[in-house]
Amino acid sequence: MSTQQDLPPSGDGLFRTKTVEQSIRDTEEPEHALKKSLSALDLTVFGVGVVIGTGIFVLTGKVAKETAGPATALAFVGAGVVCALAALCYAEFASSVPVAGSAYTFSYASLGELVAWIIGWDLVLEFALGTAVVAVGWSGYVRSLLDNAGWHLPDVLSGPDVADGFGFDILAFALVLVLTVILVLGMKLSARVTTVVVAVKIAVVLVVIIAGLFFIDTGNYSPFVPEAEPQLSGSGLDAPLVQLIFGYAPTNFGVMGIFTAASIVFFAFIGFDVVATAAEETKLPQRDMPRGILASLFICTVLYVAVSIVVTGMQHYTELSVSAPLADAFKAVGHPFYAGVISFGAAVGLTTVCMILLLGQTRVFFAMSRDGLLPTFFSKTHPRFRTPYRPTILLGVIIAVVAGLTSINELATLVNIGTLFAFVVVALGVIVLRRTRPDLHRAFRTPWVPLVPIASVAASVWLMLNLPAETWLRFAVWMVIGVVIYFAYGRSHSRLHRRNVEAERGARPRT
């Protein structure tokens, strides 16, 4: 492999790149080094833990009833294929550049600093907002379980969605703080907690699948693909961007309804890319990162398809509940006991979703700080636990307060557009790095390049176009804020910039 000295200069413009070798060397500095403790199993558990959440417990009924009918199973397959295309690109990067930061780090090595900053800023939004949204959802399930047990929280402590006037969601706030402490104490502890919780969650899902098989009425599968009908989409900023640009109106049901449903159920897959943020803390990243990413995605897709088949077989899609389809389907066949089991599984499952999204957030922030694009104060690891404790504490407290004070359901689609944007950048990065660094050792190679990355870009862009124009507008505002911060601070404080300046002066570069 070429050494750093053998490589051509990276330049000092907006698109200066940080070589893979330099990225890896930065991880070896004692005060910036993260502890390597994760295996392929740990990574797979993380992936399953973050993906299996409200999507499997709620989204199935909504999509089946309003968009695809029993063909919802095919929609999950379609969304899984889109994610698989992106996962193949992530796997190559994560095995070649085993550094914290996921798409941010990959972009820095291939597309340049400005693009890396933009994608890092995008991931900050995706993971932070995702953590807060999931914490609020978890709080709702826990309050429901407490109500069933006869314990009722005051409305003022149940959040703004419940309280009449000011409300603070004490449960969501407390959850984020507890998970912050767990992440500070170490990745291995986080992995153990996640393993236990994921085991409970998968057990609940399997109970639903196996028990539901005994109540399937095959007549409910007819018609499997209901007849197409016009979709009642919004107008103005509420309408999908594809409708405003091309005049294309998505349909409910029918063959095209399956594609529309795929753009909706994609929400249920958000988070598998978080696995890539733990590359630096993996014992054998070249081998285990591809295994963890692809295995977790495959397991989640199989579970989603199985649940959608069972629930649409238990109850006709026109009668499914939108808010709690699995629980209400069992009530409809005379087995309310399973409804309580499902609610418990949902509450437990969302705990790991919240923790792993917070994990991804802190690792991206840490990587950007270590590169100087954010204050380097946040790039120091804990002397004992070897975790990025400073950004973890800061972000944990901020997100906990946001989750406690804010009703942010309308902003949830921002998480989706942020993820898809990251998919696009990573896929393009694979093509670029193949051309600029053909000598780079790749433990895992994305097959059929550039066909697979191009297909990933096309599929991700199509799903993005199906999001409301209002989401695009909010996303653009966030990106503009990020670009302003980059030019005001990140560009001049970049470690790569300082190295280049010192090299030009003939001084020995600082590390």
Side-chain angles (χ1 to χ4, degrees):
M1 182 186 298
S2 299
T3 64
Q4 173 73 11
Q5 289 75 16
D6 297 328
L7 296 173
S10 63
D12 197 37
L14 298 179
F15 300 99
R16 56 196 175 206
T17 57
K18 183 179 181 182
T19 64
V20 173
E21 291 80 3
Q22 186 60 59
S23 294
I24 294 175
R25 272 206 295 275
D26 286 348
T27 69
E28 297 168 353
E29 299 172 355
E31 63 180 359
H32 301 304
L34 297 173
K35 184 177 180 180
K36 296 182 181 295
S37 59
L38 301 179
S39 65
L41 177 61
D42 293 326
L43 296 172
T44 302
V45 169
F46 274 145
V48 175
V50 73
V51 174
I52 302 295
T54 52
I56 202 167
F57 296 106
V58 177
L59 203 56
T60 303
K62 177 179 176 60
V63 172
K65 186 171 185 177
E66 300 177 358
T67 312
T72 296
L74 299 180
F76 275 115
V77 172
V81 169
V82 174
C83 291
L85 293 172
L88 291 170
C89 299
Y90 269 90
E92 174 169 324
F93 261 127
S95 62
S96 306
V97 194
V99 178
S102 185
Y104 158 75
T105 300
F106 306 156
S107 302
Y108 213 158
S110 57
L111 300 175
E113 186 173 277
L114 178 60
V115 177
W117 168 266
I118 290 173
I119 197 64
W121 188 245
D122 163 56
L123 292 174
V124 166
L125 172 71
E126 174 194 343
F127 294 149
L129 188 59
T131 303
V133 170
V134 172
V136 172
W138 174 88
S139 174
Y141 276 108
V142 172
R143 287 198 308 271
S144 176
L145 290 173
L146 292 176
D147 288 343
N148 291 339
W151 300 335
H152 304 285
L153 278 178
D155 287 349
V156 71
L157 296 179
S158 299
D161 287 330
V162 178
D164 183 14
F166 175 80
F168 186 82
D169 195 331
I170 190 65
L171 293 177
F173 175 80
L175 172 67
V176 177
L177 289 186
V178 169
L179 297 180
T180 297
V181 172
I182 292 175
L183 290 175
V184 167
L185 293 179
M187 281 293 289
K188 198 60 187 177
L189 174 62
S190 305
R192 288 170 178 165
V193 172
T194 304
T195 299
V196 173
V197 175
V198 169
V200 173
K201 178 162 54 176
I202 290 182
V204 171
V205 173
L206 291 177
V207 166
V208 171
I209 294 171
I210 296 172
L213 289 174
F214 294 95
F215 305 109
I216 287 179
D217 179 358
T218 55
N220 290 329
Y221 293 132
S222 180
F224 189 76
V225 181
E227 186 176 346
E229 59 185 49
Q231 185 183 93
L232 299 177
S233 56
S235 58
L237 293 179
D238 292 334
L241 190 64
V242 67
Q243 181 176 335
L244 297 180
I245 296 177
F246 303 109
Y248 164 75
T251 64
N252 289 333
F253 307 113
V255 175
M256 293 307 297
I258 297 175
F259 291 101
T260 302
S263 68
I264 299 174
V265 300
F266 174 81
F267 299 174
F269 287 92
I270 284 178
F272 82 87
D273 55 317
V274 177
V275 175
T277 66
E280 193 174 326
E281 294 158 277
T282 304
K283 296 176 183 177
L284 298 171
Q286 289 79 7
R287 182 195 70 183
D288 293 343
M289 286 305 303
R291 292 182 179 180
I293 292 173
L294 297 172
S296 60
L297 181 60
F298 175 77
I299 291 171
C300 293
T301 303
V302 170
L303 291 176
Y304 278 148
V305 170
V307 167
S308 61
I309 290 175
V310 168
V311 74
T312 54
M314 291 177 63
Q315 198 172 15
H316 197 268
Y317 74 92
T318 58
E319 300 173 355
L320 284 173
S321 161
V322 172
S323 59
L326 272 66
D328 290 347
F330 277 103
K331 289 180 182 178
V333 296
H335 290 271
F337 166 78
Y338 290 104
V341 173
I342 292 167
S343 296
F344 173 75
V348 170
L350 291 180
T351 305
T352 56
V353 177
C354 194
M355 182 171 74
I356 299 168
L357 285 174
L358 182 58
L359 163 72
Q361 159 76 299
T362 58
R363 269 46 179 184
V364 172
F365 199 94
F366 169 77
M368 296 175 74
S369 173
R370 187 167 58 188
D371 289 332
L373 299 180
L374 290 171
T376 55
F377 171 83
F378 297 107
S379 65
K380 302 295 190 295
T381 55
H382 194 281
R384 176 183 175 186
F385 304 120
R386 309 309 302 172
T387 56
Y389 69 107
R390 290 174 176 175
T392 300
I393 294 172
L394 171 69
L395 296 168
V397 171
I398 292 175
I399 295 171
V401 173
V402 170
L405 289 174
T406 314
S407 176
I408 45 184
N409 289 334
E410 304 136 5
L411 302 181
T413 51
L414 277 172
V415 181
N416 197 48
I417 195 171
T419 302
L420 288 165
F421 181 66
F423 286 4
V424 170
V425 173
V426 169
L428 293 175
V430 167
I431 298 174
V432 171
L433 202 61
R434 284 285 186 97
R435 290 182 176 275
T436 58
R437 291 297 309 277
D439 61 307
L440 186 66
H441 174 67
R442 293 168 170 84
F444 178 88
R445 297 176 67 88
T446 303
W448 304 312
V449 173
L451 181 60
V452 167
I454 290 174
S456 178
V457 170
S460 298
V461 169
W462 173 251
L463 293 185
M464 291 172 74
L465 290 173
N466 278 275
L467 293 173
E470 186 176 17
T471 298
W472 281 82
L473 181 61
R474 289 171 174 167
F475 183 66
V477 170
W478 177 257
M479 288 294 104
V480 169
I481 294 173
V483 170
V484 170
I485 293 175
Y486 171 73
F487 282 103
Y489 180 89
R491 185 184 184 191
S492 59
H493 288 79
S494 163
R495 291 183 75 189
L496 187 58
H497 168 70
R498 295 201 306 270
R499 286 189 180 114
N500 289 340
V501 169
E502 291 172 347
E504 290 175 0
R505 293 174 179 172
R508 182 178 180 181
R510 289 178 295 180
T511 57

